[in-house]
Amino acid sequence: MIRFEDVGVRFDDRREPVLRGVDLRVDEGEMVLVVGSTGSGKSTLLRCVNGLVPHFSGGTLSGRITVDGRDTRTHRPRDLADIVGVVGQDPVAAFVTDTVEEELAYGMESLGVTGDVMRRRVEETLDLLGLADVRQRTLRTLSGGQQQRVAIGGVLAAHPRILVLDEPTSALDPVAAEEVLAALTRLVHDLGLTVLLAEHRLERVVQYADRVVVVQNGRVRADLPAAAMATSPVSPPVVDLGRLAGWSPLPLSVRDARRAAGPIRLQLAGRTPVRVVKPVHPSRQHTALLSARALVVNRGRRAVLRGIDLEVNPGEIVALMGRNGSGKSTLLAAACGQLPARLGSVRTGGLDPASLKPRQLVQHVGLVPQDPGLLLYGETVSGECRAADTDMHAAPGTTRTILAHLAPDVEDNTHPRDLSEGQRLALALAVVLAGKPPLVLLDEPTRGLDYGAKTRLVASLRLLAAEQHGVLVATHDVELVAELADRVVVIADGEVVTDGPTDVVLAGSPAFAPQVAKVMHPQPWLTVADVAAALVQPPPLAV
Amino acid sequence: MTLAHHDYRLPRLLHPAAWWAWAIGLAMAANRTTNPLLLTLIVVVAAYVVAARRELGAASPFGAFLRLGLLAITLRVVFQVLLGGGTPGRTVLFTLPEIPLPSGSSGVRLGGPVTLEGVLAATYEGARLAAVLACIGAANTLASPRRLLRYVPATLYEVGTALVVALTYAPQLVDDARRVRVARRLRGHGGRGIRELARLAVPVLDSALERSLNLAASMESRGYGRSVHRDARSRRQATALTLAGLSGVIAGVYGLLDGSPAPLLGLPLLIVGSVAATASLAVGARRDPRSRYRPDPWATPEWLVLGCGVAAGVLMLVAAQRGVPGMVVQTSPAEWPILPWLPALGVLVALVPAWLSPLPPLRAIGPFDGLQDELQDVGATS
């Protein structure tokens, strides 16, 4: 169906080619997972399939790519629109129309599908993706999961035979991601669609893949999932656990791992993870860095937060979880004074953040927004760092030093836009930290981060907590929460549903449990690191 | 289109062009009179139809247009008070201190006596504009311009797409600007002042540019502008025909609305323009490989709505041409306006769609009721 023959891609502004010597063959009906660290060339590989590279992106393509017999050198993306459908990371950016039905029909209109066929296919697609209830709605009013399903439906309705998806679930909460992936696997099985999928959160998809393509330094290797995972630079926790325990074949799903985990569970029976236990409600000697009391915050007329009680203390890392639209970002916005409290109160270090002058605010609280680019205005990294020193009233060089610590490999002359997601996040975090705010807020920091960048982020946040900063992270990423947080607060519909220690909250909920917890259930292990630490320690003496 | 579409009792969205034609007819009527009673009647008719046939939950710019109309009246009166001129009058209400202007600027003055006649004339003029604005607001509310844009002629498809994209992007750009400004606080700045504005422009434009690139990639990979194998000459012909036709229509409508230069120029130009536009539609559509999803049918209710609007406009036109008393209220000397019954009846014709046009689907269901009620509702209106 898709053939890459000795393909290389080179962009003029880069020294190294992005892809080289790629030979790849994807057969009809396969579901192929593309993995690799950020910047490894995954997206480029995917965009080659329908000719967006090089027709749209520029650059030089060598070798030959044929899709269903059509050469992408002579066929532009629009000429391949009837065989290849492409869904990007940000569904909103790809919407052309503004209601669900029209968006589903748009591709078919361009292809000139006749009216009654079009009508029928829109109805089918609405059912297939469970969108019938929202068919008349405006796209902007939909939830993230619904938007992503509309984006998939929009290309699907045109009946392509190949579906290319670039990180379709990275912006979604676990449940919405399940929704999208369930729809996808159904498509593969029912319609025999060929799917090419890139995803950072391997734990969500690797078990569905027929083959895995690993992209590393511009080179490509295709293998069966288990074999590919054994040597892949990125791997989900369940694979890491399998590698640690030496299981063969490597488990790819929780189900496989659980069946293999009998011995290890026996070995660890009766032991508990060595966790640095911090008091959840410490003595009241110091003021909490953040305290919300019966906080109600409106966006427009709608009360998004409906009476939140929350505290973040020095040295504590708190994870804020909840589905898309439950009010996580609103809570963070209120905590740094972007939205006023309508009822109740919010205090950072005893002061109302909304009443603070911007200059004072940055010394109390710092927020890294979902799109870190919002904080960056400079032309170069070094310029950005200098500006941040002035903005935050820090000694010259402060930001650069922090950045060197967070991400050692960032070059001075790079434009912030050209940094990888992880590097850009590090830069934004460095800018925020230059003001030495006691309270640091992060909104969805792992969006688009690979496992390596995530590990570095966890390390730097732990260091902050050790220096008695308070950290509040809003995230969907349960694996991150398992590794990072001391306490988890789950909110739904603007109210706190759960507030408790990480292991209790995560292990107790099927939607929020990390993979290791599911494998080791009912034992209280959350991360591979916990298990590894316990395995090297001698078992406790029998009493 | 099925037979059911001819029955106004089937709830559906009316073809947007029908509502726009209706509103233009009503606006034409408003433009032919300065009688405040007739103008009020027109605004009331527009408001009633909007209230009765607006789709629930959709954006309603009608109120904004009404406020704009009030602003037009206020501005007109304020300028009249400050600058005077225009209507001669003897009933002095009060006198503002006059600022002497250099000689030679005849007819223009600052301050001075304010006459009842002048204020009345200004109010009526402003009210006429306000009524026209109300009609446009009604059209915007009853059928969003975005839906109307789906029906741009195939030859102007690219222009139409650009307009639709612009309509989506303008609010998003405002959103972006707000987000960036809020984020600016996180760097210890207020986000106010000229220098700040310059700094904010970069990220806002950056993200706008990135978004357009994303959208372009998405449209390209979904087949936008896909090999339309028509030869360049016929395409140019069709485009020229369309542009000429549309300009004809616009000029004709303008002629009809304005009425002052040569009233007869309006109608012929409109007809010629319509013919040219229709011809270009035929030429363009024949070569257009694109298809359209669920086009709104054009059936009896559409003709009815269009007819009611046009009737109101034409009746007023005729009345104005015949010099029916009461169409123009005398301001010098000022007298009470009377309600001329024939033009008033004409305006009331435009009220008919409030009952004899299909209910929009959501309104027919009602916000909380189910299908059962929908059926009853259809029965009730009949």
Side-chain angles (χ1 to χ4, degrees):
Chain A
M1 204 62 192
I2 309 171
R3 287 195 68 161
F4 283 68
E5 288 164 73
D6 193 27
V7 170
V9 175
R10 175 190 283 277
F11 294 120
D12 293 341
D13 52 348
R14 304 257 194 100
R15 265 169 290 163
E16 295 286 302
V18 183
L19 293 175
R20 54 190 151 179
V22 176
D23 279 301
L24 185 66
R25 198 192 141 119
V26 178
D27 291 323
E28 179 132 29
E30 264 193 310
M31 175 150 177
V32 175
L33 178 65
V34 181
V35 303
S37 7
T38 337
S40 58
K42 284 196 309 280
S43 295
T44 309
L45 182 75
L46 293 184
R47 287 161 69 95
C48 276
V49 174
N50 81 331
L52 280 176
V53 175
H55 289 293
F56 195 81
S57 63
T60 318
L61 179 89
S62 57
R64 206 162 95 105
I65 304 167
T66 47
V67 179
D68 197 27
R70 296 187 208 172
D71 192 327
T72 62
R73 282 179 304 187
T74 51
H75 289 77
R76 289 166 302 174
R78 62 182 84 156
D79 304 324
L80 293 166
D82 53 337
I83 0 176
V84 189
V86 181
V87 181
Q89 213 178 99
D90 180 7
V92 181
F95 288 150
V96 186
T97 64
D98 72 340
T99 66
V100 174
E101 273 189 78
E102 282 175 19
E103 186 63 28
L104 294 185
Y106 178 79
M108 289 187 284
E109 287 183 332
S110 307
L111 298 180
V113 176
T114 55
D116 35 348
V117 174
M118 190 148 52
R119 185 72 204 273
R120 201 176 63 231
R121 285 201 201 160
V122 167
E123 298 298 331
E124 286 165 4
T125 312
L126 286 172
D127 283 339
L128 194 64
L129 295 171
L131 291 166
D133 294 340
V134 294
R135 58 187 300 163
Q136 308 268 351
R137 290 259 296 275
T138 313
L139 294 169
R140 290 178 74 184
T141 63
L142 299 181
S143 76
Q146 288 168 331
Q147 283 177 338
Q148 191 58 275
R149 279 183 288 151
V150 172
I152 293 175
V155 300
L156 208 60
H159 280 203
R161 288 161 61 201
I162 301 168
L163 202 55
V164 176
L165 302 111
D166 194 356
E167 305 207 13
T169 69
S170 65
L172 302 182
D173 62 59
V175 179
E178 285 299 325
E179 247 171 47
V180 169
L181 290 171
L184 271 184
T185 38
R186 198 154 92 233
L187 294 174
V188 176
H189 286 239
D190 292 359
L191 305 180
L193 222 59
T194 310
V195 175
L196 214 61
L197 171 79
E199 182 60 69
H200 274 309
R201 306 227 181 131
L202 294 177
E203 64 270 18
R204 288 175 173 176
V205 290
V206 74
Q207 72 253 39
Y208 302 122
D210 296 316
R211 272 198 307 156
V212 172
V213 170
V214 182
V215 187
Q216 202 171 5
N217 300 327
R219 296 199 172 274
V220 162
R221 200 174 67 238
D223 231 327
L224 289 176
M229 278 300 119
T231 56
S232 162
V234 290
S235 51
V238 71
V239 168
D240 293 339
L241 188 67
R243 283 191 202 162
L244 178 76
W247 294 329
S248 176
L250 269 179
L252 298 175
S253 66
V254 169
R255 197 171 98 102
D256 297 345
R258 205 166 156 74
R259 282 153 79 179
I264 201 171
R265 276 207 301 273
L266 208 61
Q267 193 184 346
L268 295 176
R271 299 170 61 178
T272 45
V274 193
R275 298 207 133 219
V276 188
V277 181
K278 291 179 197 158
V280 175
H281 294 293
S283 55
R284 305 266 162 196
Q285 287 157 352
H286 51 252
T287 43
L289 293 176
L290 172 71
S291 82
R293 298 257 166 278
L295 176 66
V296 175
V297 176
N298 280 21
R299 276 192 195 268
R301 285 198 199 149
R302 200 165 68 90
V304 180
L305 300 183
R306 313 162 63 88
I308 294 267
D309 287 300
L310 178 74
E311 258 188 20
V312 178
N313 295 301
E316 201 179 22
I317 303 182
V318 179
L320 193 59
M321 303 191 76
R323 63 177 80 87
N324 292 87
S326 58
K328 298 189 299 294
S329 298
T330 307
L331 181 54
L332 294 190
C336 62
Q338 293 180 346
L339 290 170
R342 182 152 173 85
L343 298 171
S345 71
V346 57
R347 296 280 177 272
T348 48
L351 299 167
D352 179 6
S355 69
L356 289 176
K357 291 221 162 60
R359 294 183 51 158
Q360 301 166 308
L361 182 79
V362 294
Q363 321 217 315
H364 281 95
V365 53
L367 167 71
V368 180
Q370 210 171 90
D371 172 12
L374 280 177
L375 278 186
L376 308 175
Y377 310 88
E379 300 279 313
T380 61
V381 169
S382 57
E384 191 68 68
C385 290
R386 275 197 302 276
D389 291 339
T390 340
D391 287 350
M392 303 294 182
H393 312 285
T398 314
T399 316
R400 193 67 187 96
T401 317
I402 302 174
L403 179 64
H405 204 77
L406 294 177
D409 51 347
V410 177
E411 284 174 32
D412 268 335
N413 292 327
T414 324
H415 194 287
R417 264 203 129 53
D418 294 334
L419 296 175
S420 74
E421 295 279 347
Q423 292 171 328
R424 199 157 46 202
L425 179 74
L427 179 55
L429 187 58
V431 166
V432 164
L433 291 182
K436 294 202 173 47
L439 178 64
V440 181
L441 315 170
L442 295 105
D443 196 354
E444 212 59 65
T446 54
R447 184 177 176 170
L449 289 199
D450 56 34
Y451 289 95
K454 227 149 92 171
T455 313
R456 278 196 297 281
L457 176 74
V458 168
S460 21
L461 291 183
R462 283 202 168 282
L463 212 61
L464 277 183
E467 290 166 4
Q468 294 303 302
H469 287 271
V471 180
L472 180 62
V473 186
T475 183
H476 295 311
D477 190 339
V478 285
E479 304 296 340
L480 173 82
V481 174
E483 279 178 44
L484 181 68
D486 303 311
R487 191 149 64 87
V488 178
V489 176
V490 180
I491 60 177
D493 252 351
E495 289 168 8
V496 172
V497 179
T498 323
D499 182 348
T502 304
D503 44 353
V504 177
V505 176
L506 288 194
S509 142
F512 288 135
Q515 284 196 312
V516 174
K518 286 178 184 160
V519 173
M520 302 301 284
H521 185 81
Q523 297 177 10
W525 309 92
L526 292 183
T527 65
V528 180
D530 286 348
V531 175
L535 282 178
V536 295
Q537 270 186 3
L541 297 171
V543 184
Chain B
M1 187 167 77
T2 65
L3 212 55
H5 288 131
H6 288 290
D7 195 324
Y8 71 91
R9 284 170 300 181
L10 176 73
R12 65 184 173 95
L13 287 178
L14 206 69
H15 197 293
W19 280 128
W20 280 80
W22 170 86
I24 287 174
L26 204 56
M28 223 157 72
N31 205 45
R32 276 307 154 90
T33 177
T34 55
N35 186 330
L37 296 178
L38 277 177
L39 290 174
T40 313
L41 190 64
I42 288 173
V43 174
V44 168
V45 164
Y48 190 85
V49 175
V50 164
R53 286 297 181 268
R54 183 171 73 82
E55 176 67 319
L56 291 179
S60 171
F62 189 63
F65 274 88
L66 284 186
R67 282 193 290 279
L68 199 65
L70 282 183
L71 185 73
I73 298 178
T74 320
L75 280 182
R76 191 77 180 73
V77 171
V78 167
F79 277 122
Q80 172 69 32
V81 167
L82 288 181
L83 302 174
T87 326
R90 272 166 294 162
T91 330
V92 176
L93 293 174
F94 53 91
T95 308
L96 288 176
E98 185 167 349
I99 299 161
L101 289 177
S103 60
S105 52
S106 59
V108 181
R109 61 185 172 81
L110 266 177
V114 176
T115 63
L116 175 69
E117 290 84 351
V119 171
L120 273 183
T123 313
Y124 294 165
E125 288 287 321
R128 181 160 72 169
L129 186 56
V132 171
L133 282 172
C135 295
I136 297 171
N140 269 293
T141 309
L142 290 166
S144 77
R146 190 190 288 279
R147 281 184 58 220
L148 187 67
L149 277 173
R150 288 185 65 199
Y151 297 94
V152 287
T155 30
L156 293 181
Y157 177 73
E158 280 82 4
V159 182
T161 309
L163 279 175
V164 170
V165 170
L167 279 179
T168 318
Y169 271 49
Q172 274 178 3
L173 203 64
V174 175
D175 270 5
D176 273 352
R178 195 178 301 132
R179 279 193 322 149
V180 170
R181 219 188 69 115
V182 163
R184 195 68 186 136
R185 246 175 86 82
L186 299 172
R187 296 244 344 211
H189 291 278
R192 292 203 175 78
I194 301 285
R195 274 188 61 190
E196 281 290 277
L197 213 61
R199 300 213 80 172
L200 297 187
V202 176
V204 171
L205 292 179
D206 248 14
S207 65
L209 189 65
E210 190 168 2
R211 191 172 301 139
S212 343
L213 280 176
N214 270 332
L215 179 73
S218 155
M219 288 170 72
E220 168 85 34
S221 42
R222 289 170 73 183
Y224 175 78
R226 195 175 148 86
S227 47
V228 188
H229 290 303
R230 41 183 185 187
D231 59 309
R233 207 171 125 244
S234 79
R235 196 183 60 216
R236 271 202 297 275
Q237 266 174 4
T239 308
L241 211 54
T242 312
L243 285 178
L246 285 183
S247 330
V249 170
I250 291 168
V253 169
Y254 176 79
L256 276 183
L257 283 176
D258 188 31
S260 45
L264 281 179
L265 196 67
L267 207 56
L269 208 54
L270 180 62
I271 292 167
V272 172
S274 307
V275 170
T278 320
S280 79
L281 280 188
V283 173
R286 212 174 46 226
R287 295 163 189 282
D288 184 28
R290 225 170 286 105
S291 53
R292 185 168 286 155
Y293 175 68
R294 287 180 91 175
D296 296 292
W298 186 283
T300 318
E302 274 79 8
W303 284 117
L304 183 94
V305 168
L306 175 120
C308 290
V310 169
V314 167
L315 273 173
M316 286 289 253
L317 207 70
V318 171
Q321 220 131 44
R322 292 267 168 89
V324 172
M327 290 296 284
V328 179
V329 180
Q330 209 165 0
T331 49
S332 175
E335 58 180 32
W336 285 109
I338 53 157
L339 188 64
W341 63 272
L342 193 67
L345 277 183
V347 170
L348 284 180
V349 171
L351 194 57
V352 172
W355 295 282
L356 292 189
S357 69
L359 275 174
L362 288 182
R363 174 176 288 272
I365 299 171
F368 303 110
D369 310 333
L371 191 67
Q372 200 61 47
D373 305 73
E374 183 183 355
L375 296 173
Q376 281 172 5
D377 211 279
V378 172
T381 33
S382 56

